[in-house]
Amino acid sequence: MIKIFATEKVKDLDQYTIKHEPVSSPDLVERAATVFIHEFCRRYSKQTRIVIFAGQGNNGADALAVARLLMDEGYRVETVLFNPSGHLSYDCQLNKERLLTMENADFTEVKDNFVPPELGPYDVVIDGLFGSGLNRPLTGGFAAVVHYLNQSEATIVSIDIPSGLFGEDNRQNDPDAIVRADVTLTFQFPKLAFLLPENGKYVGEWKVLDIGLHPDIIEETPTPYYFVQEEEVASVFEPRNRFAHKGSFGHALLIAGSKGKMGAALLSAKACMRSGVGLLTAHIPARGELAFQVALPEALLSFDSNKEFFSALPDVSAYTAIGIGPGLGQHMESVAALERLLSAVSRPLVIDADALNLLASNHDLIQRVPPRSILTPHPKEFDRLADESASGYERLLKAQSFAAAHQVCVVLKGAYTAVCTPEGNVYFNSTGNPGMATAGSGDVLTGIILGLLAQGHEPETAAVTGVFLHGVAGDLAAVYRSEESMLAGDITDMLGKAFKQTRNF
């Protein structure tokens, strides 16, 4: 699991590494530049024209070191160093001097007037103007340089972070003064800003490069943010006992479906069964019996007294986990039935879709949700629960606060689905693809999480693991079907392969 640190902490991690490894600051720059060019050279050929834009600080030092190392590798490199104040950081000055010792170095230092080079569609710009320590919007000449880069047709590769982007909160930033990178090669860990939807157009494709910061300080430094990797999820699964029976793997109850929305209930039920649960009972309106018996004969059925929608609570005492919401509808009788469920159950629930909308319309019920329940809203559903947000960053903070205040897990769905726990931690998912933005995908996720919860996993584990497996299955479905033609059912169909791939990591 990769920790995600606030940008003000990164300098402390660097300094600890310098002192305790020990390693000199210039050598740490050299290490970062070396790792960067290994990845860069893998992506771009030596026939590519490279233009490097370096700033005055340590991001500029990285860029100047990259320029020298790329020249050593035989690349055509043009380097522009922007130094309007006439003052460079120590590492930047040292790497400028090293670059100037290179034979035939194409180097320009800009102190006032800047004559921009012509950039074409086959050129690659390496952006090393500003790093993650930036805390105010770019203005003046630097903003003009950013505008020039963004208007060009060149491919832009940013070192560590796109220049002008803040590492976390960009609500007060100037969107026109941020480099729009095609690729961002970041050091040691992702920046929180990379995981927020409003910043995708700046970050582009991103990859974390390990530069060997000291493991002790990474371990010791607290953070609420984590990026989930395969090894953590693989450790969740244990071999099944040969003498196990269906009762060994839990009995889930799924309350779902209404007239015109039985498909959502079926998608969720099938995903639950594919996630390894021993038994599943689906409580549905009676009109859904034929669909279930034909499409999912493995499921047990409980019929609501209303043939069209959820209106009556069955006996819930026999179940190890209960989920509610997919295709439920928002009828008045369903509100009363949901209230009875919240009164009857003290163990964690999985709450999704229309059940979330019923909570949002009846806010007093939120206080009655059992502790450590798992709520799985998409952004609009969460906004109904916690009021609208102006940005992904603001929504994330609200989700953290909501999870802590109500002692629940909030699975805030999106490109990097964030699981916010009652303790205030946030686990970002690393799997999945845009093809999963399709009707019913969320219903499948609910079924997976319910199945894992019914098997005895802790709610936080079920949520994080379920989200990860859902993404792996989606990635496999994209290979098989393509992102464009993927259906939610394709995700469920790939769950078996997702389990195998993750468990055998």
Side-chain angles (χ1 to χ4, degrees):
M1 198 168 297
I2 301 177
K3 284 185 170 182
I4 302 171
F5 294 102
T7 47
E8 66 264 18
K9 292 281 188 184
V10 174
K11 189 173 182 180
D12 295 339
L13 303 180
D14 289 345
Q15 291 304 312
Y16 184 96
T17 301
I18 289 167
K19 182 177 179 181
H20 291 86
E21 185 172 331
V23 60
S24 70
S25 180
D27 284 349
L28 189 57
V29 169
E30 194 77 1
R31 184 190 296 174
T34 300
V35 172
F36 180 93
I37 70 151
H38 284 167
E39 179 63 26
F40 185 91
C41 294
R42 190 182 65 80
R43 292 168 179 258
Y44 304 102
S45 76
K46 293 180 182 178
Q47 284 67 51
T48 307
R49 177 189 175 219
I50 311 297
V51 184
I52 296 180
F53 283 56
Q56 300 166 266
N58 288 341
N59 195 247
D62 293 334
L64 296 176
V66 164
R68 173 171 44 79
L69 293 174
L70 285 176
M71 289 176 66
D72 281 341
E73 293 291 328
Y75 283 81
R76 266 189 313 151
V77 181
E78 301 167 34
T79 305
V80 182
L81 171 62
F82 293 86
N83 185 17
S85 70
H87 176 73
L88 303 176
S89 72
Y90 172 79
D91 287 337
C92 192
Q93 177 65 35
L94 178 62
N95 278 282
K96 170 190 165 182
E97 293 168 2
R98 288 177 174 176
L99 180 60
L100 290 175
T101 65
M102 300 285 291
E103 187 176 351
N104 300 322
D106 188 340
F107 175 80
T108 303
E109 186 168 359
V110 177
K111 293 190 175 180
D112 39 48
N113 294 325
F114 171 51
V115 180
E118 291 289 333
L119 296 174
Y122 301 107
D123 299 331
V124 173
V125 169
I126 296 179
D127 159 38
L129 292 170
F130 291 93
S132 60
L134 194 70
N135 56 17
R136 60 181 183 275
L138 298 181
T139 57
F142 282 115
V145 172
V146 167
H147 180 73
Y148 165 72
L149 290 178
N150 289 342
Q151 291 301 306
S152 78
E153 295 181 279
T155 297
I156 300 176
V157 180
S158 287
I159 299 175
D160 198 35
I161 189 170
S163 292
L165 185 68
F166 304 155
E168 291 82 38
D169 183 3
N170 283 273
R171 287 175 292 181
Q172 303 303 315
N173 208 343
D174 178 359
D176 295 324
I178 304 171
V179 165
R180 297 191 175 209
D182 297 285
V183 176
T184 301
L185 301 178
T186 194
F187 297 139
Q188 201 68 51
F189 16 70
K191 312 300 182 278
L192 182 61
F194 295 2
L195 307 174
L196 302 173
E198 61 265 27
N199 301 323
K201 57 182 175 287
Y202 308 119
V203 180
E205 176 196 350
W206 57 269
K207 184 174 181 178
V208 175
L209 306 178
D210 187 350
I211 61 170
L213 294 185
H214 203 294
D216 289 350
I217 190 63
I218 293 174
E219 178 68 27
E220 294 167 9
T221 303
T223 177
Y225 300 116
Y226 301 85
F227 194 59
V228 179
Q229 300 287 282
E230 204 156 28
E231 54 265 35
E232 288 84 36
V233 178
S235 66
V236 169
F237 303 114
E238 297 179 356
R240 290 193 163 194
N241 188 315
R242 178 169 291 276
F243 295 98
H245 52 84
K246 61 188 176 184
S248 305
F249 304 111
H251 189 171
L253 172 67
L254 176 67
I255 302 172
S258 61
K259 182 180 180 181
K261 297 180 179 181
M262 289 309 302
L266 264 171
L267 285 166
S268 192
K270 187 174 182 181
C272 182
M273 298 211 73
R274 287 288 187 193
S275 70
V277 72
L279 291 161
L280 168 68
T281 294
H283 180 79
I284 58 172
R287 69 178 299 116
E289 179 180 11
L290 180 60
F292 262 83
Q293 296 286 21
V294 172
L296 193 62
E298 297 88 351
L300 301 170
L301 298 180
S302 162
F303 298 114
D304 199 277
S305 57
N306 190 301
K307 294 184 179 182
E308 307 288 340
F309 53 81
F310 174 50
S311 67
L313 187 68
D315 181 2
V316 296
S317 59
Y319 304 105
T320 51
I322 300 171
I324 181 170
L328 198 71
Q330 299 183 54
H331 305 274
M332 287 302 299
E333 292 94 329
S334 299
V335 178
L338 174 60
E339 185 173 5
R340 288 193 290 274
L341 173 64
L342 298 179
S343 298
V345 176
S346 58
R347 59 187 178 278
L349 303 170
V350 182
I351 304 176
D352 183 35
D354 279 333
L356 293 172
N357 292 327
L358 292 176
L359 291 179
S361 301
N362 301 269
H363 264 258
D364 57 311
L365 294 182
I366 296 175
Q367 308 299 329
R368 300 172 63 177
V369 172
R372 300 177 73 203
S373 288
I374 304 167
L375 280 59
T376 61
H378 58 58
K380 287 298 182 184
E381 287 169 340
F382 182 74
D383 285 355
R384 295 184 196 116
L385 285 169
D387 296 328
E388 288 193 18
S389 298
S391 67
Y393 181 75
E394 184 177 322
R395 186 175 293 110
L396 177 66
L397 294 183
K398 283 184 179 179
Q400 269 185 284
S401 177
F402 187 97
H406 298 287
Q407 288 295 288
V408 295
C409 290
V410 175
V411 178
L412 188 59
K413 294 184 285 196
Y416 300 100
T417 294
V419 178
C420 305
T421 71
E423 297 78 24
N425 293 326
V426 181
Y427 297 90
F428 290 97
N429 188 46
S430 59
T431 60
N433 63 82
M436 299 173 71
T438 186
S441 180
D443 302 317
V444 170
L445 175 61
T446 296
I448 296 170
I449 294 174
L450 175 60
L452 294 173
L453 187 65
Q455 291 172 70
H457 294 291
E458 295 297 319
E460 296 80 6
T461 302
V464 171
T465 303
V467 168
F468 188 92
L469 285 169
H470 182 250
V472 174
D475 289 338
L476 291 167
V479 173
Y480 180 65
R481 292 289 190 189
S482 84
E483 291 182 3
E484 291 79 6
S485 69
M486 192 190 307
L487 299 177
D490 298 329
I491 302 172
T492 302
D493 290 343
M494 288 294 169
L495 269 175
K497 290 184 178 180
F499 273 100
K500 281 186 175 181
Q501 178 175 305
T502 304
R503 188 175 59 241
N504 297 332
F505 174 79

